[in-house]
Amino acid sequence: MKPQDAPLVTGFALVCVALFIVLAITGYQAQAFLGAGFIPARFGSELIAPPGTLLPFFLTPLSSAFLHGGVLHLVFNLLVLLFIGRQLEAPLGAKAMAVLLVVGAYAGALAQFLADPQSTVPMIGASGAISALIAMFALIFSRSQTPAIGPIPSHWVRALWLAAAWIGVQLLIGLAGGGGFGAIAIWAHVGGFLAGLLLARPLLRWRFGAR
């Protein structure tokens, strides 16, 4: 599979664009954010989708990844998704990419929930899933050689450095947005990134059968 042949990533991007256009034309963006966005405070209170929501709570980490709050939000996420995702889907294949995106979305939602479980603000956007892609891309395509530290093997040292750097960047972004970290779901970025680091080697083994 060539980098330009990435049906899963391309399909993801097209669904995001189509949904954004339809919601903007129909004026149902706010309803979609409330009904299909990830709202931490819904956890534990709903077994089914109540009136006013579109999906049960356990599906909203995934559905929220297809929703975007504005043109800049959509364009930025899709640029990163298409650039990095197409590079990864070529070696990984569609099945492993699907696992990475879904787990990244759920890991991002989990991290956001743990940071503020009582929040009633809908979290939308593919940031958790895309952060997982960024993590795996940085880990497997990095040309830098990281030495082992004592009993910690080199690949784990590299992953820890990447995690520390990413978390530091997200905290700086959050602080720049205000004490409440503004409207940016930085913990979703952190959760997705950590999921990508943890999944990199298992997914490569699954794809290639390598140790």
Side-chain angles (χ1 to χ4, degrees), residues 6-131:
L8 179 70
V9 167
T10 303
F12 190 144
L14 289 175
V15 171
C16 289
V17 172
L19 189 58
F20 181 84
I21 292 173
V22 169
L23 292 176
I25 291 174
T26 60
Y28 278 96
Q29 279 185 319
Q31 292 91 326
F33 296 165
L34 290 172
F38 175 73
I39 302 176
R42 286 182 60 190
F43 176 71
S45 62
E46 302 165 5
L47 296 177
I48 60 174
T53 60
L54 303 177
L55 296 169
F57 176 78
F58 72 91
L59 290 178
T60 57
L62 186 59
S63 61
S64 64
F66 293 93
L67 300 171
H68 292 83
V71 174
L72 290 179
H73 187 202
L74 176 69
V75 170
F76 178 79
N77 275 358
L78 292 189
L79 285 176
V80 178
L81 173 69
L82 292 172
F83 176 75
I84 293 180
R86 287 157 75 96
Q87 301 300 316
L88 282 176
E89 189 171 343
L92 285 181
K95 291 182 180 179
M97 277 292 293
V99 170
L100 184 63
L101 288 169
V102 171
V103 174
Y106 273 88
L110 175 62
Q112 195 67 26
F113 170 80
L114 293 175
D116 190 1
Q118 301 304 317
S119 174
T120 58
V121 179
M123 185 191 82
I124 57 171
S127 299
I130 290 174
S131 294

